[in-house]
Amino acid sequence: MTSQSPTSIAEYSYVKTIGNAAAPGQIGFRNPVDVALGKGGLLYVLSHAAENSPSGKRIAKCTFDEEHFLGEFGSFGAEDGQFTWPNSLAVGEEGNIYVTDEWLHRVSVFDPDGLFLRHWGSQGNGPGQWNRPAGITVDQAGNLLVVDSMNHRIQKYSREGQFLTQWGGPGDKPGEFNIPWGITVDDLGNVLVADWRNDRIQKFTADGAFLMQVGVSGSGAGQFHRPSGVAVDRDGLIYVTDWGNDRLQVFGPEGRFVTMFLGDAGMSRWGEERLSSNPENMLGQRAQAKSPDREKQFVQPTAVEIDQAGRIIVVDSARHRLQIYQKVTA
């Protein structure tokens, strides 16, 4: 599948799918909610799992090109190195992985190999406290920006967890939020936030000054129903996972709608290996699928990331996989 914008800003092609539904110890994911890029083509994928399936909460580590599954770390619980309600993750300049936990109101830190290092945070509404921390990203100075979702604000921390500043507040006016979720920083240092319940993306300067809004409520082109994740490529194009509308939308730097993807997934390499290992059972499951075309589509995508090669990585949460697109021209 190739998608081209009506204004020919960019052209895209579907590349492949990575992942399949898997229990801990198996190769795959369980309701992944976020992906972060490590050095050397590494992917760290955070599985939230269903609320009635606590054993699925973990971080998988794999390579992008060869899809080598390198293991997993983290587990359900409240002890060091465990999660209860993991939401998002980011990789710092030093290679450490930072993970938000909405239930435990904290950020946990792991080294690149998955060794637990520390955590910080407590519940509250004061500076440096959280009420269900969600999206997390690293700014150009190496500091951490954390979405404090139920306090309807953004907080900035040093990589050691020292509180630096905050902005936002509850509401629907410019600079206000209603349960924000995803967050990213563009090449200019500007901050973009998926303002989930306000059905919009807000863009700010690095210091939190409001710049513009993208999108309104609805199901049409350029409209959102609970946007969850946001990313910006090197040309300034804005990519948004439109969670409630089961799609990915693309906007120009000024916020004008460009194009959208509904999903194009084929069977992943891991899925093929799983099928060949137990063909009788797996073919029976495939036969129960309502439609192969419907299986291609996104279901509740939660996050999007873009690598240095211009590949767009979409976290297709309810399908337990990543769908990958390539930006061909710009």
Side-chain angles (χ1 to χ4, degrees):
M1 174 266 187
T2 299
S3 178
Q4 187 170 1
S5 74
T7 54
S8 298
I9 291 178
E11 188 173 306
Y12 302 88
S13 62
Y14 166 76
V15 177
K16 64 178 178 180
T17 295
I18 299 176
N20 67 163
Q26 298 176 338
I27 296 176
F29 316 127
R30 179 65 68 177
N31 296 111
V33 286
D34 202 6
V35 61
L37 304 172
K39 297 178 180 179
L42 287 177
L43 295 177
Y44 294 95
V45 182
L46 177 63
S47 286
H48 181 284
E51 294 307 310
N52 61 356
S53 179
S55 63
K57 301 176 190 298
R58 64 196 191 276
I59 297 171
K61 181 180 178 181
C62 60
T63 63
F64 186 101
D65 292 323
E66 298 300 326
E67 302 176 36
H68 291 147
F69 188 80
L70 303 176
E72 57 190 33
F73 55 94
S75 62
F76 174 78
E79 301 300 321
D80 290 350
Q82 294 184 319
F83 320 114
T84 299
W85 202 343
N87 181 291
S88 300
L89 78 170
V91 176
E93 295 176 338
E94 76 289 357
N96 289 341
I97 299 98
Y98 299 83
V99 187
T100 59
D101 191 316
E102 291 186 74
W103 186 262
L104 298 175
H105 309 284
R106 70 187 187 192
V107 167
S108 292
V109 188
F110 300 83
D111 76 5
D113 295 320
L115 177 67
F116 172 78
L117 300 176
R118 61 187 180 276
H119 62 67
W120 79 85
S122 62
Q123 186 175 11
N125 57 17
Q129 295 181 316
W130 293 315
N131 189 358
R132 292 175 54 179
I136 185 170
T137 194
V138 181
D139 70 10
Q140 290 185 326
N143 297 313
L144 298 167
L145 295 171
V146 182
V147 175
D148 188 5
S149 66
M150 296 303 291
N151 284 325
H152 315 288
R153 64 187 179 185
I154 309 301
Q155 296 198 61
K156 182 187 290 189
Y157 295 83
S158 71
R159 70 177 67 178
E160 291 78 23
Q162 178 186 3
F163 172 78
L164 299 176
T165 189
Q166 65 182 33
W167 74 83
D172 58 9
K173 297 182 177 61
E176 298 176 338
F177 301 107
N178 190 348
I179 313 181
W181 187 344
I183 188 169
T184 195
V185 174
D186 67 16
D187 286 348
L188 300 177
N190 297 316
V191 181
L192 290 89
V193 181
D195 191 1
W196 193 74
R197 203 163 182 84
N198 278 329
D199 293 323
R200 64 186 180 182
I201 301 297
Q202 294 198 70
K203 182 176 180 179
F204 302 87
T205 66
D207 297 324
F210 174 81
L211 293 175
M212 73 172 188
Q213 171 179 321
V214 178
V216 295
S217 297
S219 59
Q223 299 176 332
F224 299 124
H225 182 54
R226 308 300 183 251
S228 52
V230 59
V232 182
D233 70 16
R234 65 183 62 184
D235 297 310
L237 296 184
I238 302 166
Y239 300 76
V240 182
T241 46
D242 190 3
W243 181 86
N245 285 322
D246 297 318
R247 63 189 181 184
L248 177 77
Q249 296 200 69
V250 186
F251 298 82
E254 76 295 339
R256 180 168 51 88
F257 171 78
V258 172
T259 190
M260 70 173 71
F261 308 118
L262 300 180
D264 297 273
M267 185 177 291
S268 70
R269 176 178 173 181
W270 298 345
E272 291 173 351
E273 293 172 351
R274 184 176 177 185
L275 176 62
S276 63
S277 69
N278 189 0
E280 183 176 349
N281 179 53
M282 293 304 298
L283 285 173
Q285 292 185 32
R286 296 286 295 178
Q288 294 176 12
K290 294 181 179 180
S291 166
D293 288 337
R294 289 184 62 182
E295 286 193 66
K296 296 179 179 180
Q297 297 175 354
F298 298 122
V299 178
Q300 297 180 340
T302 52
V304 56
E305 187 64 81
I306 302 170
D307 71 3
Q308 292 299 313
R311 294 177 293 200
I312 298 94
I313 306 164
V314 185
V315 180
D316 193 3
S317 183
R319 299 286 200 188
H320 315 287
R321 65 193 180 190
L322 310 176
Q323 291 201 47
I324 317 299
Y325 292 83
Q326 176 70 60
K327 184 177 179 183
V328 182
T329 59

